[in-house]
Amino acid sequence: MTGAMPAPFDLRSDTVTRPTADMRAVMAAAEVGDDCYGDDPSVRALEAAVAERLGKPAAVFLPSGTMSNQIAVRVRCRAGDAIAAHPGAHVRIHENASAAAISGAQIMPIGDRRGYGVDELAALCHEESCGWPPVRLVWLEDTLGDAGGMPWPLRDPSAGGRGLLEVGTWARAHGRATHLDGARLWNAHVATGTPLAELAACADSVSVSLSKGLGAPVGSVLCGDEAFVAEARLHKHALGGGFRQSGIVAAAGLFALRHHVERLAEDHARARRLADAIRPLPDWEVPEPSTNLIVAPVRAPWDHAEQLCAPLRAAGVLCHPNTYREVRFALHLGIDDADLDAIVTIIRRVVSELRPSS
Ligand SMILES: *Cc1c(COP(=O)(O)O)cnc(C)c1O
């Protein structure tokens, strides 16, 4: 074939979106100041708006979700402390071991990729003698990225107590700080209908991302009480997160907060449509997505996900493995219904042509 390849459809992540024209207009007109002196009005407005939506007293704007998480760890933990987290937690497997490198904290995995319950947390905390590091921080994540964007259920009345609420309540009653990594909390809110403040109330601090489903170019907001956020601001500066006229990007975050939260339902609907369309292919198992991510474990003859992802990328559908044996597709505001039709056509053709004929 000759000629330029058409622009690829990018389903690698919900971080790949570009600011919309309306968002760029708001950014261009943003009032700014120097955030390191605390006088950028757009940053202040964003922090106040997110704190209010999450029902927390204070908030700090940060360059990334990773920095938000690492500052939460740094405020709560000293060298030699432990963090209880599920094995697939972003903070455990996608942040370059920074909890250990920056704060000297060790992550103790409990439960499975769908979270854990009070039973498992209590068992871990009861081991705290004989050289076991003390659990200073109990880590929650919603939605659960590694588990394909599943919301962590708010309540679980069964004996194991696997709800955010049960875990948060147990941690509080036993003197443990809690952090909720809510990079995709917006998706959990829209998918379940649970108010954001009700989800956020399960933890002392919460981080939310502006650059994933909300489609802003940069940023995360870390929320908590006044004392927590005051200390977080010190670490923000120490880690090089003070970014001057950041009102330019905070304005995009504010715009996204107003206009891009409820529309996440469209991404969720398109994820279900895509899942339904590719489920009949025998090459993978496609569970019903609960939000904007599809995670599909490959089936024989395939041994690992890259065997399917590489040819899909070459054909213009960008995706990559979630884990070694799982293909992941992420829906986001850059993909509309016409794109989705084209994506389905490409996936069906590429995957069928790849399959060794028997
Ligand atoms: C993406 C993500 C982060 C990190 O956010 P960045 O802004 O990419 O650093 C943290 N936690 C979860 C659950 C995420 O999905």
Side-chain angles (χ1 to χ4, degrees):
M1 228 203 302
T2 57
M5 176 97 180
F9 299 105
D10 198 344
L11 302 181
R12 287 171 302 168
S13 176
D14 42 8
T15 57
V16 300
T17 56
R18 308 293 156 84
T20 61
D22 288 346
M23 184 181 275
R24 284 177 188 268
V26 166
M27 294 170 74
E31 254 192 274
V32 297
D34 189 321
D35 180 52
C36 294
Y37 293 110
D39 61 7
D40 186 304
S42 299
V43 171
R44 292 290 91 87
L46 174 67
E47 290 171 343
V50 175
E52 207 228 306
R53 293 234 30 200
L54 297 187
K56 295 291 186 206
V60 54
F61 181 44
L62 293 163
S64 71
T66 299
M67 193 184 281
S68 274
N69 282 346
Q70 292 306 325
I71 288 177
V73 171
R74 186 71 189 81
V75 171
R76 300 301 188 192
C77 297
R78 294 295 163 269
D81 289 343
I83 301 166
H86 67 290
H90 194 282
V91 70
R92 176 168 183 259
I93 58 176
H94 292 299
E95 298 183 18
N96 298 81
S98 295
I102 296 173
S103 302
Q106 171 163 295
I107 298 177
M108 307 285 272
I110 52 174
D112 56 31
R113 70 191 329 192
R114 295 165 170 243
Y116 56 83
V118 167
D119 277 0
E120 288 131 320
L121 179 61
L124 177 67
C125 292
H126 287 135
E127 295 283 3
E128 276 175 5
S129 54
C130 312
W132 284 67
V135 176
R136 300 272 186 236
L137 185 55
V138 172
W139 198 269
L140 301 162
E141 184 179 299
D142 192 17
T143 63
L144 293 149
D146 183 61
M150 269 184 53
W152 188 322
L154 178 63
R155 286 190 181 80
D156 172 22
S158 72
R162 287 178 74 102
L164 291 172
L165 196 64
E166 286 85 5
V167 172
T169 302
W170 189 94
R172 230 163 248 160
H174 292 79
R176 320 288 163 144
T178 44
H179 179 74
L180 171 58
D181 177 356
R184 295 193 181 89
L185 196 66
W186 318 106
N187 298 83
H189 157 62
V190 168
T192 64
T194 310
L196 285 158
E198 207 173 313
L199 296 168
C202 299
D204 302 325
S205 58
V206 184
S207 47
V208 288
S209 178
L210 304 169
S211 60
K212 290 213 166 134
L214 294 203
V218 175
S220 167
V221 180
L222 176 62
C223 303
D225 66 23
E226 302 283 0
F228 173 88
V229 169
E231 201 176 333
R233 286 189 191 283
L234 301 178
H235 295 300
K236 171 181 178 174
H237 206 78
L239 292 172
F243 55 148
R244 307 300 177 187
Q245 284 75 47
S246 44
I248 288 274
V249 278
L254 262 175
F255 178 89
L257 205 59
R258 289 189 191 122
H259 301 287
H260 291 172
V261 176
E262 298 312 320
R263 67 150 304 286
L264 289 170
E266 293 177 33
D267 299 340
H268 300 175
R270 290 193 186 103
R272 290 193 297 271
R273 248 188 75 203
L274 179 56
D276 288 345
I278 65 174
R279 189 172 295 120
L281 298 168
D283 309 80
W284 42 33
E285 187 188 322
V286 182
E288 177 76 356
S290 34
T291 55
N292 67 319
L293 305 178
I294 296 173
V295 166
V298 298
R299 286 197 184 123
W302 310 115
D303 176 55
H304 57 271
E306 188 59 11
Q307 291 171 305
L308 295 170
C309 292
L312 284 170
R313 284 197 300 272
V317 174
L318 307 189
C319 60
H320 54 207
N322 184 55
T323 58
Y324 186 60
R325 294 185 212 285
E326 293 169 321
V327 178
R328 188 179 87 159
F329 299 104
L331 279 296
H332 52 76
L333 60 70
I335 302 292
D336 65 18
D337 286 329
D339 295 334
L340 199 66
D341 292 339
I343 288 165
V344 168
T345 304
I346 294 172
I347 294 177
R348 282 191 179 134
R349 175 175 53 77
V350 168
V351 171
S352 306
E353 285 173 6
L354 271 178
R355 210 174 299 138
S357 47
S358 51

